[in-house]
Amino acid sequence: RRETRERILQLINSMGPSEREIISMVHIEGLSLREASIELEIQLEAAKKRYHRAINKFRDVFESKLTNLHQSK
């Protein structure tokens, strides 16, 4: 479990600053997208788009790493 948490944090840290920021605000700090948009001083719709782009990128990278892990066994 600790190893999984560390890998997830590594993936988040490998993302671009705006992607990392929105994911951290929502999933680590527990802010809503509305709260994150206020904190970032951007429109709610912009925060939603940024969040969804970041989550899609995270999922793609995570799935790629899982695939590589299973193929190496």
Side-chain angles (χ1 to χ4, degrees):
R1 186 172 186 176
R2 181 176 157 213
E3 183 179 320
T4 302
R5 183 179 297 133
E6 288 175 11
R7 286 186 179 169
I8 289 171
L9 288 174
Q10 285 175 347
L11 282 176
I12 291 170
N13 287 331
S14 72
M15 300 177 90
S18 64
E19 296 162 334
R20 184 173 53 245
E21 187 173 44
I22 194 81
I23 287 178
S24 295
M25 289 178 138
V26 173
H27 290 283
I28 295 173
E29 296 175 32
L31 298 180
S32 68
L33 283 172
R34 180 174 301 283
E35 292 167 328
S37 71
I38 293 167
E39 187 76 23
L40 295 169
E41 298 179 350
I42 60 175
Q43 296 292 319
L44 177 58
E45 288 304 313
K48 287 179 181 180
K49 287 178 186 176
R50 186 179 294 183
Y51 174 76
H52 288 289
R53 278 195 306 265
I55 287 298
N56 288 334
K57 182 176 181 179
F58 177 87
R59 182 178 42 241
D60 291 346
V61 171
F62 188 77
E63 288 174 354
S64 174
K65 290 202 180 278
L66 280 178
T67 300
N68 291 339
L69 180 65
H70 289 297
Q71 289 176 350
S72 66
K73 287 185 176 184

